[in-house]
Structure formats: structure tokens, C-alpha cells
Amino acid sequence: MAAAGAGPQPEPGPAPGSEPGALCPEHGQTLGWFCSSERRPVCAACAGPGGRCREHRVRRADEHAEKLRNKIVDQCERLQLQSAGITKYVAEVLLGKNQQAVSTASAARELVIQRLSVVRSVCESEEQRLLEQVHGEEERAHQSILTQRAHWAEALQKLNTIRTSLVDMLTHLDDHELIQKEQEIFERTEEAEGILDPQESEKLNFNEKCTWSPLLTQLWATAVLGSLSGTFHELFHLVLVDHVV
């Protein structure tokens, strides 16, 4: 007895509606049936009670072929829809993306030019400001040195005058005359003591702090760190956003 669920048990002979074609190598009959278990065409004898496919699910070969045809038709329709979708994507989406890329790139170039123009302007203004500060500090230090030179030239002249006067008294006055000049000697000595020794002064030095600039410091640090780490563009962009946007 055939197992439950087995296909129809055809009588020996060609399948209904079958056409002459390939023959079964075992029974010499037309392969008018299809075994779903072994996925191959078989003859009526193979599918019959004594055949090797008697317990398998079998169906007419033309029905299975029709099923395959329908499957091919469905697949062709899906491929056609897929092709239409790809054609539409290429014609609409990719074309739009290409136009968008061109437009965005143009806007990006303009943005880069604008931002770098602002940065360049800011850097030029900062350069001018710092150079003016350096020049001003140089002039200040130079003027302080000139003032000191004039002051100490006058002090030297006064000390020489006092010393000459005292030496003249010491050389030419007798005891009585020297005693009479005691007040003058005291005044000359006091005047000489009022001239203090030169002292080091920061006012005579060039103040390098005049070159300090937060913007310049950050740009310089960004350039140095970026060149060392290879991330100059990222760091420069951060500075660009901080100072420009």
C-alpha cells in the first residue's frame, strides 16, 4: 500500500495529455510525470505500484511545466519592475544627487573662500596691530634709554663739577680758608650724595608681552599641533569656527 500523502498512482502508459518525448531509461516509457521528491521527470511505471517513486509525490509533467512557466512569468515581471525601479533611480535620484553634489560643492567652495577671506582679514589686522605694538614698545624702550643717558650725562657733569671744586679747595685753600668754606663743602657733599647710583630698570627693557595675542597663539598652536599629528585641517577648522562663525 502506498504511504499516506503519496502522489496519485497512475496507470502504466503515457500521462494524460502528454506528448511523445524523452523515454525512461529503465522502462522505456515516456517521461510524462514529475517526481517532487527526487526533482526529476519519471514515467508511469516509475510512479506506479512497483516503481521506485511509488511512495513519492508525483504530478503530471505538463502541470509541473505549467507551474514553472507561471513561476518564470512572475519572475520576469519582478525583474521588469526591478529594472524599472533601477532606471528610475538612475534617471531621477542619481541625476538629482549629481546636481546636488555640483551645487553643494560650489557652495562649499564659496564658503571656504569666504571663511578664509575673513580669517585672512583678521590675521592681517592682528598682524598690523601687533607690529604697531612692537614698534611702539621699541620706541618707548629707546626713549627711556635716551632719557637715562641724558640724566646720567647730567649727573656725571655735576659730579665732575663738584669733584673739581672740592679738589680745587683742597689744593689752594689754607686751613683758615678751608674752615670758612665748610658750609660750601657740606652743601657740595650733600649735593653729590643726592645723586644715586644707577639701578637696573625694567623700563629700559623691551617688553616681549607686547606680542601676545590670544588669536595668534591659538593659530600658532593649531598649526604646530596639526603638523605634528596630521590633523591640521580639523584643528584649523575648530579655530576657524571659534573665531569666525
Short mmCIF file of all heavy atoms in Angstrom, two decimals, residues 3-9 33-42 46-47 51-60 64 67:
data_model
loop_
_atom_site.label_atom_id
_atom_site.label_comp_id
_atom_site.label_asym_id
_atom_site.label_seq_id
_atom_site.Cartn_x
_atom_site.Cartn_y
_atom_site.Cartn_z
N ALA A 3 2.27 4.94 0.82
CA ALA A 3 2.29 5.70 2.07
C ALA A 3 1.33 6.85 1.98
O ALA A 3 1.02 7.38 0.91
CB ALA A 3 3.71 6.22 2.33
N ALA A 4 0.83 7.27 3.19
CA ALA A 4 -0.11 8.39 3.23
C ALA A 4 0.56 9.62 2.68
O ALA A 4 1.72 9.91 2.98
CB ALA A 4 -0.57 8.62 4.68
N GLY A 5 -0.19 10.39 1.93
CA GLY A 5 0.34 11.61 1.38
C GLY A 5 1.07 11.41 0.10
O GLY A 5 1.60 12.36 -0.46
N ALA A 6 1.21 10.14 -0.38
CA ALA A 6 1.91 9.91 -1.64
C ALA A 6 1.07 10.42 -2.79
O ALA A 6 -0.13 10.60 -2.68
CB ALA A 6 2.20 8.42 -1.81
N GLY A 7 1.72 10.67 -3.93
CA GLY A 7 1.03 11.22 -5.09
C GLY A 7 0.10 10.20 -5.72
O GLY A 7 0.04 9.03 -5.32
N PRO A 8 -0.64 10.60 -6.71
CA PRO A 8 -1.56 9.67 -7.40
C PRO A 8 -0.78 8.53 -8.04
O PRO A 8 0.36 8.69 -8.44
CB PRO A 8 -2.20 10.57 -8.46
CG PRO A 8 -1.21 11.67 -8.69
CD PRO A 8 -0.57 11.91 -7.36
N GLN A 9 -1.37 7.42 -8.04
CA GLN A 9 -0.73 6.24 -8.62
C GLN A 9 -1.23 6.05 -10.04
O GLN A 9 -2.31 5.50 -10.28
CB GLN A 9 -1.06 5.01 -7.77
CG GLN A 9 -0.62 5.15 -6.31
CD GLN A 9 0.85 5.40 -6.19
OE1 GLN A 9 1.63 4.72 -6.86
NE2 GLN A 9 1.23 6.34 -5.34
N TRP A 33 5.56 12.18 -16.20
CA TRP A 33 5.27 12.55 -14.80
C TRP A 33 6.50 13.21 -14.18
O TRP A 33 7.61 13.08 -14.69
CB TRP A 33 4.86 11.30 -13.99
CG TRP A 33 3.64 10.64 -14.55
CD1 TRP A 33 3.57 9.73 -15.55
CD2 TRP A 33 2.32 10.90 -14.14
NE1 TRP A 33 2.29 9.37 -15.82
CE2 TRP A 33 1.47 10.10 -14.94
CE3 TRP A 33 1.71 11.71 -13.18
CZ2 TRP A 33 0.10 10.08 -14.82
CZ3 TRP A 33 0.33 11.68 -13.04
CH2 TRP A 33 -0.46 10.90 -13.86
N PHE A 34 6.29 13.85 -13.05
CA PHE A 34 7.40 14.55 -12.35
C PHE A 34 7.38 14.16 -10.89
O PHE A 34 6.35 14.29 -10.21
CB PHE A 34 7.27 16.07 -12.47
CG PHE A 34 8.37 16.83 -11.79
CD1 PHE A 34 9.61 16.97 -12.39
CD2 PHE A 34 8.17 17.39 -10.53
CE1 PHE A 34 10.63 17.66 -11.75
CE2 PHE A 34 9.19 18.07 -9.88
CZ PHE A 34 10.42 18.20 -10.50
N CYS A 35 8.52 13.66 -10.42
CA CYS A 35 8.64 13.27 -9.01
C CYS A 35 9.14 14.47 -8.21
O CYS A 35 10.28 14.92 -8.41
CB CYS A 35 9.61 12.09 -8.88
SG CYS A 35 9.88 11.60 -7.14
N SER A 36 8.31 14.95 -7.29
CA SER A 36 8.70 16.12 -6.49
C SER A 36 9.74 15.78 -5.44
O SER A 36 10.48 16.66 -5.00
CB SER A 36 7.45 16.70 -5.80
OG SER A 36 6.49 17.11 -6.75
N SER A 37 9.80 14.51 -5.05
CA SER A 37 10.77 14.12 -4.02
C SER A 37 12.18 14.08 -4.59
O SER A 37 13.14 14.52 -3.97
CB SER A 37 10.40 12.75 -3.43
OG SER A 37 9.12 12.78 -2.83
N GLU A 38 12.29 13.50 -5.81
CA GLU A 38 13.61 13.39 -6.42
C GLU A 38 13.89 14.52 -7.41
O GLU A 38 14.99 14.60 -7.95
CB GLU A 38 13.73 12.04 -7.13
CG GLU A 38 13.67 10.86 -6.17
CD GLU A 38 13.94 9.54 -6.87
OE1 GLU A 38 14.25 9.56 -8.09
OE2 GLU A 38 13.88 8.49 -6.20
N ARG A 39 12.88 15.38 -7.63
CA ARG A 39 13.02 16.53 -8.50
C ARG A 39 13.50 16.13 -9.89
O ARG A 39 14.45 16.70 -10.43
CB ARG A 39 14.00 17.56 -7.90
CG ARG A 39 13.72 17.97 -6.47
CD ARG A 39 12.37 18.58 -6.30
NE ARG A 39 12.18 19.78 -7.12
CZ ARG A 39 11.01 20.42 -7.22
NH1 ARG A 39 9.94 19.96 -6.59
NH2 ARG A 39 10.93 21.50 -7.98
N ARG A 40 12.78 15.14 -10.50
CA ARG A 40 13.16 14.69 -11.84
C ARG A 40 11.93 14.11 -12.53
O ARG A 40 11.01 13.63 -11.88
CB ARG A 40 14.28 13.65 -11.79
CG ARG A 40 13.88 12.32 -11.19
CD ARG A 40 15.07 11.37 -11.12
NE ARG A 40 14.66 10.05 -10.61
CZ ARG A 40 14.22 9.05 -11.39
NH1 ARG A 40 14.13 9.22 -12.71
NH2 ARG A 40 13.89 7.88 -10.87
N PRO A 41 11.94 14.14 -13.86
CA PRO A 41 10.83 13.53 -14.59
C PRO A 41 10.92 12.00 -14.54
O PRO A 41 12.02 11.43 -14.55
CB PRO A 41 11.01 14.06 -16.02
CG PRO A 41 12.45 14.38 -16.13
CD PRO A 41 12.89 14.83 -14.77
N VAL A 42 9.74 11.37 -14.46
CA VAL A 42 9.67 9.90 -14.40
C VAL A 42 8.55 9.44 -15.32
O VAL A 42 7.72 10.24 -15.79
CB VAL A 42 9.43 9.39 -12.97
CG1 VAL A 42 10.61 9.73 -12.06
CG2 VAL A 42 8.12 9.96 -12.42
N CYS A 46 7.56 4.16 -13.24
CA CYS A 46 8.34 4.60 -12.07
C CYS A 46 7.42 5.05 -10.94
O CYS A 46 7.70 4.84 -9.75
CB CYS A 46 9.27 5.73 -12.45
SG CYS A 46 10.61 5.26 -13.55
N ALA A 47 6.28 5.68 -11.33
CA ALA A 47 5.37 6.21 -10.32
C ALA A 47 4.32 5.19 -9.90
O ALA A 47 3.57 5.42 -8.96
CB ALA A 47 4.68 7.47 -10.87
N GLY A 51 7.00 0.84 -8.88
CA GLY A 51 8.09 1.72 -9.27
C GLY A 51 8.86 2.31 -8.08
O GLY A 51 8.40 2.28 -6.94
N ARG A 52 9.99 2.87 -8.37
CA ARG A 52 10.85 3.43 -7.33
C ARG A 52 10.25 4.68 -6.70
O ARG A 52 10.62 5.05 -5.58
CB ARG A 52 12.24 3.76 -7.88
CG ARG A 52 12.21 4.73 -9.05
CD ARG A 52 13.61 4.97 -9.58
NE ARG A 52 14.45 5.64 -8.61
CZ ARG A 52 15.73 5.92 -8.82
NH1 ARG A 52 16.30 5.53 -9.96
NH2 ARG A 52 16.42 6.54 -7.90
N CYS A 53 9.32 5.34 -7.39
CA CYS A 53 8.72 6.57 -6.87
C CYS A 53 7.28 6.35 -6.39
O CYS A 53 6.48 7.30 -6.32
CB CYS A 53 8.74 7.66 -7.94
SG CYS A 53 10.40 8.12 -8.49
N ARG A 54 6.95 5.09 -6.09
CA ARG A 54 5.57 4.78 -5.75
C ARG A 54 5.10 5.50 -4.47
O ARG A 54 3.92 5.75 -4.30
CB ARG A 54 5.41 3.27 -5.60
CG ARG A 54 6.25 2.64 -4.48
CD ARG A 54 6.11 1.11 -4.48
NE ARG A 54 6.92 0.50 -3.45
CZ ARG A 54 8.19 0.24 -3.55
NH1 ARG A 54 8.82 0.54 -4.69
NH2 ARG A 54 8.86 -0.32 -2.56
N GLU A 55 6.02 5.79 -3.56
CA GLU A 55 5.64 6.47 -2.32
C GLU A 55 5.97 7.96 -2.34
O GLU A 55 5.85 8.64 -1.33
CB GLU A 55 6.33 5.80 -1.13
CG GLU A 55 5.88 4.35 -0.93
CD GLU A 55 6.54 3.73 0.30
OE1 GLU A 55 7.37 4.43 0.95
OE2 GLU A 55 6.23 2.58 0.64
N HIS A 56 6.39 8.44 -3.49
CA HIS A 56 6.75 9.86 -3.61
C HIS A 56 5.57 10.67 -4.10
O HIS A 56 4.57 10.12 -4.57
CB HIS A 56 7.94 10.04 -4.58
CG HIS A 56 9.18 9.38 -4.11
ND1 HIS A 56 10.31 9.22 -4.91
CD2 HIS A 56 9.50 8.81 -2.91
CE1 HIS A 56 11.24 8.61 -4.22
NE2 HIS A 56 10.77 8.33 -3.00
N ARG A 57 5.70 11.97 -3.96
CA ARG A 57 4.68 12.86 -4.51
C ARG A 57 5.00 13.10 -5.98
O ARG A 57 6.06 13.61 -6.32
CB ARG A 57 4.69 14.21 -3.76
CG ARG A 57 4.27 14.08 -2.30
CD ARG A 57 4.30 15.43 -1.61
NE ARG A 57 3.40 16.39 -2.24
CZ ARG A 57 2.10 16.48 -1.96
NH1 ARG A 57 1.54 15.68 -1.07
NH2 ARG A 57 1.35 17.39 -2.56
N VAL A 58 4.09 12.68 -6.84
CA VAL A 58 4.28 12.85 -8.28
C VAL A 58 3.09 13.61 -8.86
O VAL A 58 2.00 13.61 -8.30
CB VAL A 58 4.43 11.48 -8.99
CG1 VAL A 58 5.70 10.78 -8.55
CG2 VAL A 58 3.21 10.60 -8.76
N ARG A 59 3.37 14.28 -9.93
CA ARG A 59 2.31 15.01 -10.65
C ARG A 59 2.62 14.97 -12.13
O ARG A 59 3.73 14.62 -12.54
CB ARG A 59 2.23 16.45 -10.16
CG ARG A 59 3.48 17.25 -10.44
CD ARG A 59 3.44 18.59 -9.78
NE ARG A 59 2.26 19.37 -10.17
CZ ARG A 59 1.97 20.56 -9.69
NH1 ARG A 59 2.77 21.10 -8.77
NH2 ARG A 59 0.90 21.19 -10.08
N ARG A 60 1.64 15.30 -12.91
CA ARG A 60 1.84 15.29 -14.35
C ARG A 60 2.93 16.27 -14.74
O ARG A 60 3.04 17.36 -14.20
CB ARG A 60 0.53 15.62 -15.06
CG ARG A 60 -0.48 14.49 -15.00
CD ARG A 60 -1.86 14.95 -15.43
NE ARG A 60 -1.84 15.76 -16.64
CZ ARG A 60 -2.94 16.26 -17.19
NH1 ARG A 60 -4.12 16.05 -16.62
NH2 ARG A 60 -2.86 16.99 -18.31
N HIS A 64 3.49 20.38 -13.94
CA HIS A 64 4.70 20.95 -13.32
C HIS A 64 5.36 21.97 -14.24
O HIS A 64 5.83 23.02 -13.79
CB HIS A 64 5.68 19.82 -12.98
CG HIS A 64 6.89 20.29 -12.24
ND1 HIS A 64 6.84 20.78 -10.96
CD2 HIS A 64 8.21 20.39 -12.63
CE1 HIS A 64 8.04 21.15 -10.56
NE2 HIS A 64 8.90 20.91 -11.57
N LYS A 67 3.46 25.07 -14.05
CA LYS A 67 3.81 25.77 -12.80
C LYS A 67 5.13 26.52 -12.97
O LYS A 67 5.28 27.67 -12.54
CB LYS A 67 3.92 24.76 -11.66
CG LYS A 67 4.31 25.38 -10.33
CD LYS A 67 4.43 24.33 -9.25
CE LYS A 67 4.87 24.95 -7.93
NZ LYS A 67 5.04 23.93 -6.87
#
